[in-house]
């Protein structure tokens, strides 16, 4: 009898551990984000990784299936960088990170957020190029990357984003010419201003030769 009752304790042991283990992949992704960020005013204080999902955390919104659909961290006094794990938020529609002090490259993996409607990263210190992978964001309507330190040219691939309504890359360090096809036919020059090395609109009919600016 004694050995048997010892074995019967094992399930209890694993049950005690389970709150940490059962945190879902979306919670893990958000917690990985938190580890990369410095949060001096404790905006992320409610992000308790032992909860079964992140749906009760402040600044996180879920749908009725407990999938994260919004992340609202604009104006949150945060610095640090972003990582590829954000792409595990497979149902995310709104990624709001504007007006912080986040630096480094924009992860190309954000192009895998296929439901994304709004990507607001303006007013940070992002550098490097605008990922070509953003051309996969077929639901995207709002893309605001203005007031950062982005370099390189505007990826021509973005002209295939037929739902794009608002596009702003002003106040960066982009170069090359401005696309004119697809949604880019509608955007005003204000969306592009204050990029010292960005030339005027690409000339229709001429194959642009300065992609690699
Ligand atoms: C950001 O910092 C300022 C100054 O410390 C503070 O007043 C403000 O509440 C902070 N914002 C947030 C979202 O915590």
């Amino acid at each position: 009898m004694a050995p048997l009752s010892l074995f019967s304790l094992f399930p209890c042991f694993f049950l005690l551990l389970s709150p940490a283990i059962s945190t879902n992949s979306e919670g893990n992704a958000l917690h990985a984000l938190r580890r990369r960020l410095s949060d001096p005013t404790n905006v992320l204080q409610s992000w308790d990784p032992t909860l079964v999902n992140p749906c009760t955390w402040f600044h996180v919104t879920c749908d009725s299936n407990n999938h994260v659909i919004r992340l609202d961290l604009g104006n949150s006094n945060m610095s640090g960088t972003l990582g590829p794990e954000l792409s595990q938020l497979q149902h995310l529609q709104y990624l709001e990170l504007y007006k912080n002090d986040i630096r480094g490259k924009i992860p190309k993996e954000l192009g895998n957020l296929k439901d994304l409607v709004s990507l607001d990263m303006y007013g940070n210190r992002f550098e490097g190029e605008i990922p070509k992978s953003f051309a996969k964001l077929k639901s995207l309507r709002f893309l605001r990357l203005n007031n950062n330190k982005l370099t390189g040219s505007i990826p021509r691939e973005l002209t295939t984003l037929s739902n794009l309504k608002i596009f702003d890359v002003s106040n960066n360090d982009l170069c090359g010419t401005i696309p004119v096809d697809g949604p880019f036919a509608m955007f005003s020059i204000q969306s592009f201003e204050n990029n010292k090395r960005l030339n005027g609109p690409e000339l229709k009919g001429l194959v642009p030769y300065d992609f690699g600016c």
Side-chain angles (χ1 to χ4, degrees):
M1 283 310 275
L4 261 182
S5 54
L6 189 63
F7 276 116
S8 68
L9 280 177
F10 278 113
C12 302
F13 177 69
F14 284 111
L15 273 177
L16 279 175
L17 283 181
S18 68
I21 292 171
S22 63
T23 302
N24 68 6
S25 68
E26 293 174 86
N28 290 341
L30 290 173
H31 219 254
L33 169 69
R34 183 184 187 175
R35 280 194 300 270
R36 291 178 187 275
L37 296 173
S38 160
D39 176 21
T41 51
N42 288 320
V43 173
L44 306 181
Q45 199 165 27
S46 67
W47 288 23
D48 177 354
T50 65
L51 296 179
V52 82
N53 65 49
C55 297
T56 57
W57 298 359
F58 289 170
H59 315 291
V60 174
T61 307
C62 291
D63 64 11
S64 54
N65 297 317
N66 289 334
H67 289 304
V68 176
I69 55 169
R70 288 191 73 111
L71 189 55
D72 286 287
L73 293 172
N75 256 321
S76 297
N77 296 329
M78 291 188 304
S79 57
T81 59
L82 302 182
E85 58 282 337
L86 272 180
S87 66
Q88 288 164 34
L89 302 172
Q90 273 300 302
H91 301 266
L92 196 66
Q93 296 173 21
Y94 292 82
L95 179 52
E96 306 299 323
L97 296 172
Y98 56 88
K99 292 190 178 171
N100 283 291
D101 200 20
I102 306 172
R103 64 193 154 76
K105 293 195 169 169
I106 299 175
K108 61 179 186 312
E109 292 81 1
L110 294 187
N112 297 327
L113 297 173
K114 57 180 175 19
D115 292 340
L116 208 60
V117 170
S118 176
L119 180 52
D120 279 324
M121 307 177 98
Y122 60 88
N124 282 285
R125 285 196 288 153
F126 288 111
E127 58 188 43
E129 302 200 354
I130 301 171
K132 289 181 174 52
S133 62
F134 282 4
K136 294 189 286 180
L137 301 171
K138 296 303 180 200
S139 305
L140 199 64
R141 295 168 61 88
F142 309 100
L143 178 55
R144 283 177 277 230
L145 303 173
N146 48 293
N147 297 75
N148 280 292
K149 297 168 180 296
L150 297 169
T151 52
S153 57
I154 299 169
R156 278 345 186 234
E157 291 82 350
L158 300 186
T159 60
T160 62
L161 294 176
S162 54
N163 289 311
L164 200 57
K165 296 285 179 291
I166 304 283
F167 179 83
D168 196 339
V169 291
S170 60
N171 298 296
N172 278 290
D173 192 19
L174 300 171
C175 58
T177 54
I178 298 172
V180 292
D181 296 320
F184 284 81
M186 299 181 321
F187 304 142
S188 76
I189 202 72
Q190 278 78 35
S191 296
F192 307 97
E193 65 190 8
N194 286 321
N195 286 276
K196 281 193 240 37
R197 297 182 297 139
L198 195 59
N199 300 313
E202 148 193 317
L203 293 173
K204 273 273 188 208
L206 281 185
V207 178
Y209 54 84
D210 57 353
F211 278 3
C213 57

